[in-house]
Amino acid sequence: MKRRVVITGMGVLAPNGHGLEEYEAALREGRSGIRYIPELKELNFACQVGGIPQGVEAIRERYFVPEQLISMNENISYAAISAVDAWRDAGLTVPSFDSDEVDWDSGIIVGSGIGGMDTIANIVVPMVNAGKVKRMGSSIVEQVMNSGTSARVGGLLALGNQVTSNSSACSTGNEAIFDAMTRIRAGLAKRMLAGGTEGASPHIWAGFDAMRVLSKKSNDRPEEASRPMSASAGGFIPGSGGALLLLEDLETAQARGARIYAELLGGHVNCGGHRMGGSMTAPNPTGVKRCILAAIADAGISAQDIEAINGHLTATFADPYEVQNWTGALERGPENFPYIQSTKSMVGHCLGAAGAIECVAVVLELYKGFLHPSINCEDVHPEITAFSKSIPHQTVECPDLKIIAKAGFGFGDVNSCLIFKKWEE
């Protein structure tokens, strides 16, 4: 029998809040973390707003000693802070570096879409071009290699199980959680940290600005800039941050008396093969629907059991197509469609961290019995106006909420879907 997987801890560092209490309050209030960024104007970006976690330097200094901070760039810092928070939230103790004990039953999968670009742009390239290679220091490699993030957290927590970093564009966070779930199900680990992280850097965001997929309409109104499902949406708003969930097999969690937030019933990841309308930048609709249906089957539920969807929904032309794919997969029209929301309306698109930051929102909603609003879409896109009643514009209290589906669709025609359930003894 495959083991049941539950969530026993969470850590989040989002543009609109650090920690579960602050993040939940922001979600309930519909509080945006999107701000004007003068540097983007100086660099001639069309989009001059973005989502960046606040007060991170002070948090870093509280959490880590100077020797640790030397090798932590922004991308790694977001993950490390979230990992420590999730570990402690689960009732576990951060080990001492003086100890030789290794936790062979615990591991981590944490990825990024692009990763340590700030280190490459600000240190590696200038110093190499200036012929100063020997002055770069010995920590550069671990800051720029993709697996440096998981390796750093693995060392902080003495993790002895699988320690790895994945990268699957906007599906990275969801994929990490799915892969961690399958490992626990198979009995290969008792607990796994899983999620995503992404630094805030103009060098990361520049390519998207060049593609003209970022919004330039609301530089003077940052909090209104991210507009998923809106008729006036003009593209996505770049974001950054990190989040990690601690997944644990049910038997282990119960044996140690852990508080359980929710159960991860199942999920699926796939690719549309860049066919049938799919490409590097667009999803194959058949691939999306197959992913949703496979996740539902893996969870052992029916399409009718889904009460809410936390969508990918980025505020691009693809939003109406996503809603259409959901209605096709679930075979549920406007008359009985689930609630559908976009966390990105408040935090922007956090790229490799998006899925994880949004999964924390989903688990909080199930645990506390509410649905956060999708802000800035009072003018619902004309192609999905029939679904307007399913879009919460204010927080909806739902104490009996049981099942939420979380989607992620990324560059490369990659898809992911996770099914979370309210924990009930």
Side-chain angles (χ1 to χ4, degrees):
M1 287 181 60
K2 65 185 182 184
R3 290 163 173 78
R4 293 172 68 182
V5 179
V6 294
I7 294 92
T8 57
M10 296 188 290
V12 62
L13 185 60
N16 63 347
H18 167 230
L20 300 181
E21 184 176 345
E22 188 175 39
Y23 185 50
E24 180 190 341
L27 294 175
R28 286 181 176 274
E29 295 168 17
R31 188 195 317 147
S32 174
I34 307 302
R35 298 170 178 84
Y36 175 69
I37 303 172
E39 183 183 10
L40 297 182
K41 181 177 182 179
E42 294 167 8
L43 294 172
N44 294 320
F45 274 60
C47 176
Q48 297 165 10
V49 298
I52 302 176
Q54 301 296 292
V56 175
E57 191 57 40
I59 300 169
R60 277 167 35 101
E61 292 176 359
R62 291 201 311 269
Y63 280 46
F64 310 112
V65 298
E67 298 80 53
Q68 295 169 328
L69 292 173
I70 290 172
S71 59
M72 285 189 190
N73 59 16
E74 198 171 63
N75 188 68
I76 295 174
S77 295
Y78 290 168
I81 291 167
S82 300
V84 169
D85 284 347
W87 198 253
R88 289 173 174 162
D89 185 52
L92 301 170
T93 302
V94 176
S96 166
F97 273 96
D98 298 331
S99 171
D100 283 335
E101 292 185 15
V102 176
D103 185 349
W104 304 109
D105 295 320
S106 302
I108 182 171
I109 303 174
V110 58
S112 305
I114 297 177
M117 181 68 84
D118 53 335
T119 303
I120 295 170
N122 297 328
I123 299 176
V124 177
V125 173
M127 294 193 79
V128 170
N129 289 346
K132 299 178 180 179
V133 173
K134 293 180 180 179
R135 295 177 58 186
M136 284 197 298
S138 59
S139 70
I140 286 296
V141 171
E142 63 188 89
Q143 293 185 68
V144 300
M145 68 181 188
N146 196 38
S147 61
T149 306
S150 56
R152 173 53 56 190
V153 176
L156 287 171
L157 301 177
L159 305 178
N161 209 278
Q162 181 180 8
V163 171
T164 191
S165 295
N166 66 315
S167 187
S168 198
C170 317
S171 261
T172 297
N174 284 1
E175 181 185 80
I177 294 166
F178 175 80
D179 287 349
M181 176 191 71
T182 59
R183 188 166 183 83
I184 294 171
R185 274 181 171 181
L188 299 174
K190 290 185 177 179
R191 64 187 66 84
M192 295 287 295
L193 283 164
T197 183
E198 200 78 72
S201 170
H203 300 98
I204 292 176
W205 299 345
F208 300 109
D209 200 75
M211 291 176 67
R212 300 181 182 179
V213 294
L214 302 186
S215 176
K216 60 181 180 180
K217 291 184 175 182
S218 304
N219 290 335
D220 59 337
R221 304 182 309 281
E223 295 183 353
E224 299 175 20
S226 187
R227 310 182 64 80
M229 296 186 285
S230 165
S232 52
F236 76 80
I237 301 301
S240 59
L244 284 160
L245 290 76
L246 187 70
L247 277 56
E248 194 163 358
D249 77 71
L250 177 59
E251 184 178 351
T252 298
Q254 289 180 325
R256 69 182 186 87
R259 181 247 353 266
I260 296 174
Y261 283 112
E263 182 171 5
L264 180 53
L265 290 181
H268 193 71
V269 296
N270 74 358
C271 178
H274 299 205
R275 301 295 189 274
M276 302 169 67
S279 67
M280 279 298 295
T281 57
N284 171 348
T286 300
V288 170
K289 286 179 275 194
R290 287 176 65 91
C291 184
I292 294 168
L293 290 171
I296 290 170
D298 185 55
I301 63 170
S302 76
Q304 299 303 313
D305 293 323
I306 294 174
E307 297 165 86
I309 298 164
N310 187 288
H312 185 59
L313 298 170
T314 60
T316 65
F317 72 92
D319 286 2
Y321 296 116
E322 181 177 339
V323 175
Q324 291 165 15
N325 286 332
W326 276 106
T327 193
L330 301 181
E331 296 183 350
R332 294 171 63 176
E335 68 285 349
N336 68 342
F337 198 71
Y339 282 110
I340 186 165
Q341 61 182 179
S342 174
T343 308
K344 291 182 182 71
S345 65
M346 288 176 270
V347 300
H349 190 343
C350 297
L351 306 175
I357 289 173
E358 294 160 19
C359 279
V360 171
V362 166
V363 174
L364 283 172
E365 289 177 316
L366 287 169
Y367 187 63
K368 295 295 187 74
F370 74 99
L371 285 170
H372 73 65
S374 276
I375 66 172
N376 301 325
C377 67
E378 294 79 8
D379 57 332
V380 176
H381 194 286
E383 293 180 26
I384 54 173
T385 51
F387 297 87
S388 294
K389 68 179 179 62
S390 295
I391 303 171
H393 298 287
Q394 303 292 331
T395 292
V396 179
E397 298 297 335
C398 321
D400 298 324
L401 183 67
K402 296 286 176 61
I403 294 178
I404 301 179
K406 170 69 201 126
F409 310 117
F411 272 27
D413 199 7
V414 292
N415 309 305
S416 58
C417 185
L418 300 168
I419 308 293
F420 291 93
K421 183 178 184 293
K422 182 182 182 70
W423 172 248
E424 297 172 313
E425 294 288 350

